[in-house]
Amino acid sequence: MAVPVSQMLTVTKYVLMQRLKGVARYPLVLMLEPLFRCNLACAGCGKIQYPDHVLDKRLTPEQCWAAAEECGAPIVSIPGGEPLIHPEIAKIVEGLVAQQRYVYLCTNAILLERKLDEYKPSKFLTFSIHMDGLRDEHDLAVCRDGVYDVAVKAIKAALKRGHRVTTNTTLFDDANPERVRKFFDEMMALGVEGMMISPGYSYQKAPDQQHFLKRARTRELFTRILSKPKAGWQFNQSPLFLDFLMGRREYHCTPWGNPTYNVFGWQKPCYLLQEGYAKTFRELMETTAWDEYGSTKNEKCADCMVHCGYEASAVQDTFGTVSGFSRTVKLTLLPTSR
Amino acid sequence: MTDTKNHSDGDRSGSLEGRRFLPASPSELVEAIELAFDYRGDVTIELTSGERLEGYVFNRNTGGPAPAVELFPTVDPGVRHILYSDIRSIAFTGEDTATGRSWEAWVAKKDSERRAEIERIAADAKARGHL
Ligand code: SF4
Ligand code: SF4
């Protein structure tokens, strides 16, 4: 099983409580970006494209803890930039763990082995390692040779110390399905707990009529990758989200499921689109025009099938429909039945 | 780590870098502010008082009785709130950090150019103690 039972129960209890309370919009994962600076410069990465004085800004530990309390999501994912550059990131993580939140610290792993001493293994802490494929593909994706080997070494070191480790992979439509399947084998052979995958986001500012073709291509790609899964593969995400990527379920985006907080404030409406910022989580929830987003509603969203918008939709399906629930149970117990 | 590999279009010719807008009407002002908000670089805002503020426009609130821009000044750590009604002109003075940074542009580069870029970025990260 990719996720510990305690984490599954926490999330299940949280979702059921929100539903019982009649809360229509509730967050599942807080995307906490404590800084935008990175020690890589992957081509086109939208997160590092700021002037130096903005890249030098960082959230304080107190701001991070307050954001998590304010939003209340049971899971906190910490992307960036590269969070391990933040001088107080271990303290930030410790405080979030003390709040009993399940923390996914997303890193390119360049600094991980050097910093491992600063972290105590805990069921609440997972290192989520950015791996975009086998050595050639990954090094090309991050625009630097040797990063794959550094990351593999860091994964082994973290696992040896008893840490939870997952990988997170972004795939674009040039991915080779056979190589991706081989990559899954290699990651599982390293001993990682599970893998997270998502299609890349190819929003172009100008609308074009190829959008639907792009979505169709994404479905075709993920069908080729995920059909006939191998017995050892574990995915650290909702099985229904994988169904969605393969075109087997249709979802509308749930952007409030993964709210983003960073040095600018609470980002409207999601991790990918910047339409403005709110000062508080409550203001974000109350002032964002949520109904204006999603693939059928907004040209900026037309191609998007990214986990931060649709994973929460899959979770809602699990808890909100009989077919979603039974399919989740089936795929959780029998992942190779896909 | 992020999902925004193709976010920028990599088209240098379309960049606003170096341009200055002197809005002649409220709608032109709103348009110029939207461009500044989307811009991945610093701008210089000239106020009707004559003051000039250089920084990164990270937010704008269009609703309510007093629409305002929020800016991180280049030289001080705070936030400046600037009323729309106080803005005289907006100049795109800082480097457009998104231009030419698309995946396609990177792949299209010569191998030697790519190597040089990788070395430059690594040296910068090393100098900051991030490698
Ligand atoms: S469809 Fe994608 S880009 Fe649009 S709001 Fe949802 S997550 Fe954001
Ligand atoms: S490692 Fe992540 S944050 Fe850093 S440049 Fe690459 S995609 Fe951007």
Side-chain angles (χ1 to χ4, degrees), chain A residues 1 41 43 47 117 146 160 175 192 200 206-207 213 247 284 300-301 330:
Chain A
M1 191 156 301
K47 292 289 170 179
D117 280 344
K160 203 166 159 197
V192 302
L213 183 62
L284 172 83
K300 294 175 184 174
C301 301
K330 184 181 170 202

Side-chain angles (χ1 to χ4, degrees), chain A residues 46 49-51 53-54 205 264 274, chain B residues 7 11-12 14-21 31-45 54-60 70-71 90-99:
Chain A
Q49 293 170 350
Y50 294 104
H53 68 102
V54 175
K205 282 178 183 156
F264 300 140
Q274 285 167 309
Chain B
H7 201 88
D11 178 8
R12 273 186 188 280
S15 176
L16 291 166
E17 190 176 327
R19 294 187 60 185
R20 179 168 176 261
F21 290 81
E31 212 177 304
I33 289 169
E34 287 305 303
L35 292 174
F37 172 68
D38 278 341
Y39 187 63
R40 290 289 172 113
D42 286 331
V43 300
T44 301
I45 297 181
E54 189 193 5
Y56 187 81
V57 172
F58 72 92
N59 201 14
R60 79 286 184 240
E70 288 181 293
L71 172 135
I90 300 178
F92 294 76
T93 43
E95 179 197 345
D96 183 345
T97 56
T99 302

Side-chain angles (χ1 to χ4, degrees), chain A residues 37 39 41 43-54 56-57 80-83 85 106-108 110-111 114 130 140-141 143-145 168 170 172 200-204 263-264 271-272 274-277 279 306-307, chain B residues 1-9 37-38 40-42 54-56 58-61 70 72-78 81 95 97-99 101-104 106-107 114-115 117-118 121-122 124-126 128-131:
Chain A
R37 193 175 281 288
N39 47 7
C45 168
K47 292 289 170 179
I48 56 169
Q49 293 170 350
Y50 294 104
D52 265 343
H53 68 102
V54 175
D56 286 339
K57 289 197 184 301
E82 168 54 49
I85 285 178
C106 306
T107 171
N108 59 37
I110 291 178
L111 295 172
R114 236 183 289 168
H130 171 196
L140 183 70
C143 303
R144 178 133 163 240
D145 290 342
N168 72 70
T170 305
F172 289 84
Y201 177 55
S202 51
Y203 161 50
Q204 302 285 329
V263 296
F264 300 140
Y271 183 67
L272 300 167
Q274 285 167 309
E275 310 268 69
Y277 290 85
K279 300 267 173 304
V306 170
H307 62 99
Chain B
M1 195 174 313
T2 69
D3 310 308
T4 51
K5 191 183 274 180
N6 296 330
H7 201 88
S8 64
D9 60 12
F37 172 68
D38 278 341
R40 290 289 172 113
D42 286 331
E54 189 193 5
Y56 187 81
F58 72 92
N59 201 14
R60 79 286 184 240
N61 288 309
E70 288 181 293
F72 282 135
T74 317
V75 289
D76 101 51
H81 298 260
E95 179 197 345
T97 56
T99 302
R101 295 276 306 278
S102 72
W103 173 252
E104 290 76 11
W106 194 79
V107 170
R114 277 198 233 165
R115 298 259 147 234
E117 191 176 321
I118 290 167
I121 291 161
D124 182 57
K126 256 189 206 132
R128 292 173 194 276
H130 298 157
L131 271 183

Side-chain angles (χ1 to χ4, degrees), chain A residues 93-101 124:
Chain A
V93 167
E94 202 181 313
L96 294 170
V97 166
Q99 291 180 2
Q100 306 224 317
R101 298 192 199 278
F124 289 109

Side-chain angles (χ1 to χ4, degrees), chain A residues 15-76:
Chain A
V15 173
L16 293 177
M17 282 303 290
Q18 303 304 311
R19 294 181 75 89
L20 269 177
K21 284 195 256 173
V23 182
R25 295 184 179 125
Y26 50 86
L28 280 175
V29 181
L30 165 63
M31 310 287 279
L32 181 67
E33 298 175 307
L35 82 176
F36 292 126
R37 193 175 281 288
C38 189
N39 47 7
L40 284 176
C42 306
C45 168
K47 292 289 170 179
I48 56 169
Q49 293 170 350
Y50 294 104
D52 265 343
H53 68 102
V54 175
L55 293 178
D56 286 339
K57 289 197 184 301
R58 298 191 287 255
L59 292 176
T60 64
E62 290 72 21
Q63 284 175 305
C64 294
W65 302 329
E69 289 282 17
E70 201 187 341
C71 138
I75 299 174
V76 179

Side-chain angles (χ1 to χ4, degrees), chain A residues 201 253-255 269-273 293-295 300-302 304-306 308-310:
Chain A
Y201 177 55
C253 171
T254 308
C270 73
Y271 183 67
L272 300 167
L273 297 185
Y293 298 98
S295 57
K300 294 175 184 174
C301 301
C304 179
M305 296 179 80
V306 170
C308 69
Y310 294 90

